[in-house]
Structures are given as structure tokens and as C-alpha cells.
CSV table of all heavy atoms in Angstrom, one decimal:
chain,number,residue,atom,x,y,z
L,13,ASN,N,1.7,48.9,50.3
L,13,ASN,CA,1.6,48.4,49.0
L,13,ASN,C,0.9,47.0,49.0
L,13,ASN,O,0.0,46.7,48.2
L,13,ASN,CB,2.9,48.3,48.3
L,13,ASN,CG,3.4,49.6,47.9
L,13,ASN,OD1,2.7,50.6,47.7
L,13,ASN,ND2,4.7,49.8,47.7
L,14,SER,N,1.4,46.1,49.9
L,14,SER,CA,0.9,44.7,49.9
L,14,SER,C,-0.6,44.7,50.2
L,14,SER,O,-1.3,43.9,49.6
L,14,SER,CB,1.7,43.9,50.9
L,14,SER,OG,1.6,44.4,52.2
L,15,ILE,N,-1.0,45.4,51.2
L,15,ILE,CA,-2.5,45.5,51.5
L,15,ILE,C,-3.3,46.0,50.4
L,15,ILE,O,-4.3,45.4,50.0
L,15,ILE,CB,-2.7,46.2,52.8
L,15,ILE,CG1,-2.1,45.5,54.0
L,15,ILE,CG2,-4.2,46.5,53.1
L,15,ILE,CD1,-2.1,46.3,55.3
L,16,ARG,N,-2.8,47.1,49.9
L,16,ARG,CA,-3.5,47.8,48.7
L,16,ARG,C,-3.7,46.8,47.6
L,16,ARG,O,-4.7,46.6,47.0
L,16,ARG,CB,-2.8,49.1,48.4
L,16,ARG,CG,-3.6,50.0,47.6
L,16,ARG,CD,-2.9,51.4,47.4
L,16,ARG,NE,-1.6,51.3,46.7
L,16,ARG,CZ,-0.5,51.5,47.3
L,16,ARG,NH1,-0.4,51.9,48.6
L,16,ARG,NH2,0.7,51.4,46.7
L,17,PHE,N,-2.6,46.2,47.2
L,17,PHE,CA,-2.6,45.3,46.1
L,17,PHE,C,-3.5,44.1,46.3
L,17,PHE,O,-4.3,43.7,45.5
L,17,PHE,CB,-1.1,44.8,45.8
L,17,PHE,CG,-1.0,43.8,44.7
L,17,PHE,CD1,-1.1,44.2,43.3
L,17,PHE,CD2,-0.9,42.4,44.9
L,17,PHE,CE1,-1.0,43.3,42.3
L,17,PHE,CE2,-0.8,41.5,43.9
L,17,PHE,CZ,-0.9,42.0,42.6
L,18,PHE,N,-3.4,43.5,47.5
L,18,PHE,CA,-4.2,42.3,47.9
L,18,PHE,C,-5.7,42.6,47.8
L,18,PHE,O,-6.5,41.9,47.1
L,18,PHE,CB,-3.8,41.8,49.3
L,18,PHE,CG,-4.7,40.7,49.7
L,18,PHE,CD1,-4.6,39.4,49.3
L,18,PHE,CD2,-5.7,41.0,50.7
L,18,PHE,CE1,-5.5,38.4,49.7
L,18,PHE,CE2,-6.6,40.0,51.1
L,18,PHE,CZ,-6.5,38.7,50.6
L,19,LEU,N,-6.1,43.7,48.4
L,19,LEU,CA,-7.5,44.1,48.4
L,19,LEU,C,-8.0,44.4,47.0
L,19,LEU,O,-9.1,44.0,46.6
L,19,LEU,CB,-7.8,45.3,49.3
L,19,LEU,CG,-7.6,45.1,50.8
L,19,LEU,CD1,-7.7,46.4,51.5
L,19,LEU,CD2,-8.7,44.1,51.2
L,20,GLN,N,-7.2,45.1,46.2
L,20,GLN,CA,-7.5,45.4,44.8
L,20,GLN,C,-7.7,44.1,44.0
L,20,GLN,O,-8.7,44.0,43.3
L,20,GLN,CB,-6.5,46.3,44.2
L,20,GLN,CG,-6.9,46.7,42.8
L,20,GLN,CD,-5.9,47.7,42.2
L,20,GLN,OE1,-4.9,48.1,42.8
L,20,GLN,NE2,-6.3,48.3,41.0
L,21,GLU,N,-6.8,43.2,44.1
L,21,GLU,CA,-6.9,41.9,43.3
L,21,GLU,C,-8.1,41.2,43.7
L,21,GLU,O,-8.9,40.6,42.9
L,21,GLU,CB,-5.6,41.1,43.5
L,21,GLU,CG,-4.4,41.6,42.9
L,21,GLU,CD,-4.5,41.5,41.3
L,21,GLU,OE1,-4.8,40.4,40.8
L,21,GLU,OE2,-4.2,42.6,40.7
L,22,LEU,N,-8.3,41.0,45.0
L,22,LEU,CA,-9.5,40.3,45.5
L,22,LEU,C,-10.8,40.8,45.1
L,22,LEU,O,-11.7,40.1,44.6
L,22,LEU,CB,-9.4,40.3,47.1
L,22,LEU,CG,-10.5,39.4,47.8
L,22,LEU,CD1,-10.2,38.0,47.6
L,22,LEU,CD2,-10.5,39.8,49.3
L,23,LEU,N,-10.9,42.2,45.2
L,23,LEU,CA,-12.2,42.8,44.8
L,23,LEU,C,-12.4,42.8,43.3
L,23,LEU,O,-13.6,42.7,42.8
L,23,LEU,CB,-12.3,44.2,45.4
L,23,LEU,CG,-12.3,44.2,46.9
L,23,LEU,CD1,-12.1,45.6,47.4
L,23,LEU,CD2,-13.7,43.7,47.4
L,24,GLU,N,-11.4,43.0,42.5
L,24,GLU,CA,-11.5,43.0,41.1
L,24,GLU,C,-11.9,41.6,40.6
L,24,GLU,O,-12.7,41.4,39.6
L,24,GLU,CB,-10.2,43.4,40.4
L,24,GLU,CG,-10.0,44.9,40.5
L,24,GLU,CD,-8.7,45.5,39.9
L,24,GLU,OE1,-7.8,44.7,39.7
L,24,GLU,OE2,-8.7,46.7,39.6
L,25,LYS,N,-11.4,40.5,41.2
L,25,LYS,CA,-11.8,39.2,40.8
L,25,LYS,C,-13.3,38.9,41.0
L,25,LYS,O,-13.9,38.1,40.4
L,25,LYS,CB,-11.0,38.1,41.6
L,25,LYS,CG,-9.6,38.0,41.2
L,25,LYS,CD,-8.8,36.9,42.0
L,25,LYS,CE,-7.4,36.8,41.5
L,25,LYS,NZ,-6.6,35.9,42.3
L,26,ASP,N,-13.9,39.7,42.0
L,26,ASP,CA,-15.3,39.6,42.2
L,26,ASP,C,-16.1,40.5,41.3
L,26,ASP,O,-17.3,40.6,41.5
L,26,ASP,CB,-15.6,39.9,43.7
L,26,ASP,CG,-15.4,38.8,44.6
L,26,ASP,OD1,-15.3,37.6,44.2
L,26,ASP,OD2,-15.4,39.0,45.9
L,27,GLY,N,-15.4,41.2,40.4
L,27,GLY,CA,-16.1,42.0,39.4
L,27,GLY,C,-16.3,43.5,39.8
L,27,GLY,O,-17.0,44.2,39.1
L,28,HIS,N,-15.7,43.9,40.8
L,28,HIS,CA,-15.8,45.3,41.2
L,28,HIS,C,-14.8,46.2,40.5
L,28,HIS,O,-13.7,45.7,40.1
L,28,HIS,CB,-15.6,45.5,42.7
L,28,HIS,CG,-16.5,44.7,43.5
L,28,HIS,ND1,-17.9,45.0,43.7
L,28,HIS,CD2,-16.4,43.5,44.3
L,28,HIS,CE1,-18.5,44.1,44.4
L,28,HIS,NE2,-17.6,43.2,44.8
L,29,ARG,N,-15.1,47.4,40.3
L,29,ARG,CA,-14.2,48.4,39.7
L,29,ARG,C,-13.5,49.1,40.9
L,29,ARG,O,-14.1,49.8,41.7
L,29,ARG,CB,-15.0,49.4,38.9
L,29,ARG,CG,-15.6,48.7,37.6
L,29,ARG,CD,-16.6,49.6,37.0
L,29,ARG,NE,-17.8,49.5,37.8
L,29,ARG,CZ,-18.8,50.3,37.7
L,29,ARG,NH1,-18.9,51.2,36.7
L,29,ARG,NH2,-19.9,50.2,38.5
L,30,VAL,N,-12.2,48.9,40.9
L,30,VAL,CA,-11.4,49.4,42.1
L,30,VAL,C,-10.4,50.5,41.7
L,30,VAL,O,-9.7,50.4,40.7
L,30,VAL,CB,-10.7,48.2,42.7
L,30,VAL,CG1,-9.8,48.6,43.9
L,30,VAL,CG2,-11.6,47.1,43.1
L,31,THR,N,-10.4,51.5,42.5
L,31,THR,CA,-9.4,52.5,42.5
L,31,THR,C,-8.6,52.4,43.8
L,31,THR,O,-9.2,52.5,44.8
L,31,THR,CB,-10.0,53.9,42.3
L,31,THR,OG1,-10.8,54.0,41.2
L,31,THR,CG2,-8.9,55.0,42.3
L,32,ALA,N,-7.3,52.2,43.7
L,32,ALA,CA,-6.4,52.1,44.8
L,32,ALA,C,-5.4,53.2,44.9
L,32,ALA,O,-4.7,53.4,43.9
L,32,ALA,CB,-5.8,50.7,44.9
L,33,VAL,N,-5.3,53.9,46.0
L,33,VAL,CA,-4.4,55.0,46.2
L,33,VAL,C,-3.6,54.8,47.5
L,33,VAL,O,-4.0,54.1,48.4
L,33,VAL,CB,-5.1,56.4,46.1
L,33,VAL,CG1,-5.7,56.6,44.8
L,33,VAL,CG2,-6.0,56.5,47.3
L,34,ALA,N,-2.4,55.5,47.5
L,34,ALA,CA,-1.5,55.3,48.6
L,34,ALA,C,-1.5,56.4,49.7
L,34,ALA,O,-0.8,56.4,50.7
L,34,ALA,CB,-0.1,55.1,48.1
L,35,SER,N,-2.3,57.5,49.4
L,35,SER,CA,-2.3,58.6,50.3
L,35,SER,C,-3.6,59.3,50.4
L,35,SER,O,-4.5,59.2,49.6
L,35,SER,CB,-1.2,59.7,49.9
L,35,SER,OG,-1.7,60.3,48.7
L,36,GLY,N,-3.8,60.1,51.5
L,36,GLY,CA,-5.0,60.8,51.7
L,36,GLY,C,-5.1,61.9,50.6
L,36,GLY,O,-6.2,62.2,50.1
L,37,GLU,N,-4.0,62.5,50.2
L,37,GLU,CA,-4.0,63.5,49.1
L,37,GLU,C,-4.6,62.9,47.8
L,37,GLU,O,-5.4,63.5,47.2
L,37,GLU,CB,-2.6,64.1,48.9
L,37,GLU,CG,-2.1,64.9,50.1
L,37,GLU,CD,-1.5,64.1,51.2
L,37,GLU,OE1,-1.4,62.9,51.1
L,37,GLU,OE2,-1.1,64.7,52.2
L,38,GLU,N,-4.1,61.7,47.5
L,38,GLU,CA,-4.6,61.1,46.3
L,38,GLU,C,-6.1,60.7,46.4
L,38,GLU,O,-6.8,60.8,45.4
L,38,GLU,CB,-3.8,59.8,46.0
L,38,GLU,CG,-2.4,60.0,45.5
L,38,GLU,CD,-1.7,58.6,45.3
L,38,GLU,OE1,-1.2,58.1,46.3
L,38,GLU,OE2,-1.7,58.1,44.2
L,39,ALA,N,-6.4,60.3,47.6
L,39,ALA,CA,-7.8,59.9,47.8
L,39,ALA,C,-8.8,61.1,47.6
L,39,ALA,O,-9.8,61.0,46.9
L,39,ALA,CB,-8.0,59.4,49.2
L,40,LEU,N,-8.4,62.3,48.1
L,40,LEU,CA,-9.2,63.5,47.9
L,40,LEU,C,-9.3,63.9,46.5
L,40,LEU,O,-10.4,64.3,46.0
L,40,LEU,CB,-8.7,64.6,48.8
L,40,LEU,CG,-8.7,64.4,50.3
L,40,LEU,CD1,-8.1,65.7,51.0
L,40,LEU,CD2,-10.1,64.1,50.8
L,41,GLU,N,-8.3,63.7,45.7
L,41,GLU,CA,-8.3,63.9,44.3
L,41,GLU,C,-9.3,63.0,43.6
L,41,GLU,O,-10.1,63.5,42.8
L,41,GLU,CB,-7.0,63.8,43.6
L,41,GLU,CG,-6.0,64.8,44.0
L,41,GLU,CD,-4.6,64.5,43.5
L,41,GLU,OE1,-4.4,63.6,42.6
L,41,GLU,OE2,-3.6,65.2,43.9
L,42,ARG,N,-9.3,61.7,43.9
L,42,ARG,CA,-10.2,60.8,43.3
L,42,ARG,C,-11.7,61.0,43.7
L,42,ARG,O,-12.6,60.9,42.9
L,42,ARG,CB,-9.8,59.3,43.6
L,42,ARG,CG,-8.5,58.9,43.2
L,42,ARG,CD,-8.3,59.1,41.7
L,42,ARG,NE,-6.9,58.7,41.3
L,42,ARG,CZ,-5.8,59.5,41.4
L,42,ARG,NH1,-6.0,60.7,41.9
L,42,ARG,NH2,-4.7,59.1,41.0
L,43,ILE,N,-11.9,61.4,45.0
L,43,ILE,CA,-13.2,61.7,45.5
L,43,ILE,C,-13.8,62.8,44.7
L,43,ILE,O,-15.0,62.9,44.4
L,43,ILE,CB,-13.2,61.9,47.0
L,43,ILE,CG1,-12.8,60.6,47.7
L,43,ILE,CG2,-14.5,62.5,47.5
L,43,ILE,CD1,-12.4,60.8,49.2
L,44,ALA,N,-13.0,63.8,44.4
L,44,ALA,CA,-13.5,65.0,43.7
L,44,ALA,C,-13.8,64.7,42.2
L,44,ALA,O,-14.7,65.3,41.6
L,44,ALA,CB,-12.4,66.1,43.7
L,45,GLU,N,-13.2,63.6,41.7
L,45,GLU,CA,-13.4,63.2,40.3
L,45,GLU,C,-14.6,62.4,40.1
L,45,GLU,O,-15.3,62.5,39.0
L,45,GLU,CB,-12.1,62.5,39.8
L,45,GLU,CG,-10.9,63.3,39.7
L,45,GLU,CD,-9.7,62.4,39.4
L,45,GLU,OE1,-9.8,61.2,39.3
L,45,GLU,OE2,-8.6,63.0,39.3
L,46,LYS,N,-14.8,61.4,41.0
L,46,LYS,CA,-16.0,60.5,40.8
L,46,LYS,C,-16.5,60.0,42.1
L,46,LYS,O,-15.9,60.2,43.1
L,46,LYS,CB,-15.6,59.4,39.9
L,46,LYS,CG,-14.5,58.4,40.4
L,46,LYS,CD,-14.2,57.3,39.4
L,46,LYS,CE,-13.3,56.3,39.9
L,46,LYS,NZ,-13.0,55.3,38.9
L,47,LYS,N,-17.7,59.4,42.0
L,47,LYS,CA,-18.3,58.8,43.2
L,47,LYS,C,-18.0,57.4,43.4
L,47,LYS,O,-17.8,56.6,42.4
L,47,LYS,CB,-19.9,59.0,43.0
L,47,LYS,CG,-20.3,60.4,42.9
L,47,LYS,CD,-20.0,61.2,44.1
L,47,LYS,CE,-20.5,62.7,43.9
L,47,LYS,NZ,-20.0,63.6,44.8
L,48,PHE,N,-18.0,56.9,44.6
L,48,PHE,CA,-17.7,55.5,44.9
L,48,PHE,C,-18.8,55.0,45.8
L,48,PHE,O,-19.4,55.7,46.6
L,48,PHE,CB,-16.4,55.4,45.7
L,48,PHE,CG,-15.2,55.8,44.9
L,48,PHE,CD1,-14.7,57.1,44.9
L,48,PHE,CD2,-14.5,54.9,44.1
L,48,PHE,CE1,-13.6,57.5,44.2
L,48,PHE,CE2,-13.4,55.3,43.3
L,48,PHE,CZ,-13.0,56.6,43.3
L,49,ASP,N,-19.0,53.7,45.6
L,49,ASP,CA,-20.0,53.0,46.5
L,49,ASP,C,-19.5,52.7,47.8
L,49,ASP,O,-20.2,52.7,48.8
L,49,ASP,CB,-20.5,51.7,45.8
L,49,ASP,CG,-21.1,52.0,44.4
L,49,ASP,OD1,-22.0,52.9,44.3
L,49,ASP,OD2,-20.7,51.4,43.4
L,50,LEU,N,-18.2,52.4,47.9
L,50,LEU,CA,-17.5,51.9,49.1
L,50,LEU,C,-16.1,52.5,49.2
L,50,LEU,O,-15.5,52.5,48.1
L,50,LEU,CB,-17.5,50.4,49.1
L,50,LEU,CG,-16.7,49.7,50.3
L,50,LEU,CD1,-17.5,49.9,51.6
L,50,LEU,CD2,-16.6,48.2,50.0
L,51,ALA,N,-15.7,52.8,50.4
L,51,ALA,CA,-14.3,53.3,50.6
L,51,ALA,C,-13.7,52.5,51.7
L,51,ALA,O,-14.3,52.4,52.8
L,51,ALA,CB,-14.2,54.8,50.8
L,52,LEU,N,-12.6,51.9,51.5
L,52,LEU,CA,-11.8,51.2,52.5
L,52,LEU,C,-10.7,52.1,52.9
L,52,LEU,O,-9.8,52.3,52.1
L,52,LEU,CB,-11.3,49.8,52.0
L,52,LEU,CG,-12.4,48.9,51.6
L,52,LEU,CD1,-11.8,47.6,50.9
L,52,LEU,CD2,-13.4,48.5,52.7
L,53,VAL,N,-10.6,52.6,54.1
L,53,VAL,CA,-9.7,53.7,54.5
L,53,VAL,C,-8.8,53.3,55.6
L,53,VAL,O,-9.3,52.9,56.7
L,53,VAL,CB,-10.5,54.9,54.9
L,53,VAL,CG1,-9.5,56.1,55.2
L,53,VAL,CG2,-11.5,55.3,53.8
L,54,ASP,N,-7.5,53.3,55.4
L,54,ASP,CA,-6.5,53.2,56.4
L,54,ASP,C,-6.5,54.5,57.2
L,54,ASP,O,-6.3,55.5,56.6
L,54,ASP,CB,-5.1,52.9,55.8
L,54,ASP,CG,-4.0,52.7,56.8
L,54,ASP,OD1,-4.3,52.8,58.0
L,54,ASP,OD2,-2.9,52.5,56.4
L,55,LEU,N,-6.7,54.4,58.5
L,55,LEU,CA,-6.8,55.6,59.3
L,55,LEU,C,-5.5,56.3,59.6
L,55,LEU,O,-5.4,57.5,59.8
L,55,LEU,CB,-7.5,55.4,60.6
L,55,LEU,CG,-9.0,54.9,60.5
L,55,LEU,CD1,-9.6,54.6,61.9
L,55,LEU,CD2,-9.8,56.0,59.8
L,56,LYS,N,-4.4,55.5,59.6
L,56,LYS,CA,-3.1,56.0,59.9
L,56,LYS,C,-2.3,56.2,58.6
L,56,LYS,O,-1.5,55.3,58.1
L,56,LYS,CB,-2.3,55.0,60.8
L,56,LYS,CG,-3.0,54.9,62.2
L,56,LYS,CD,-2.2,54.1,63.1
L,56,LYS,CE,-2.9,54.0,64.4
L,56,LYS,NZ,-2.2,53.1,65.3
């Protein structure tokens, strides 16, 4: 949570539109819904 929240806050302050999720399953749902320019992915 802390990493996800920190990155989201930082990137939104720079004007980016951020979607933050906590699992691979959620990520796959979002990827199917819309396109992203950048993905920051925790491998574990």
C-alpha cells in the first residue's frame, strides 16, 4: 500500500492520470479496459 500510494501521489502531482492496483488479477482487468502509456510493475 505505501509504495502504491506514494507513487500515485507523486505522479498525479506531475499531472499524470494514474490507475493503481494491488494485484496481477486487477492489473489484467485494467489492461483489458484501457491502454496505458507506462506500467510500473512489482514482479513479486
Side-chain angles (χ1 to χ4, degrees):
N13 289 334
S14 59
I15 292 173
R16 198 171 59 248
F17 178 77
F18 173 76
L19 290 172
Q20 183 172 5
E21 289 291 311
L22 183 70
L23 293 166
E24 285 178 342
K25 283 181 183 177
D26 276 347
H28 301 288
R29 292 166 286 171
V30 178
T31 300
V33 298
S35 70
E37 292 82 1
E38 288 179 277
L40 295 181
E41 289 174 14
R42 297 307 175 277
I43 292 165
E45 295 171 358
K46 65 180 183 179
K47 301 295 181 197
F48 295 93
D49 300 309
L50 174 69
L52 302 174
V53 184
D54 179 0
L55 296 179
K56 295 182 181 180

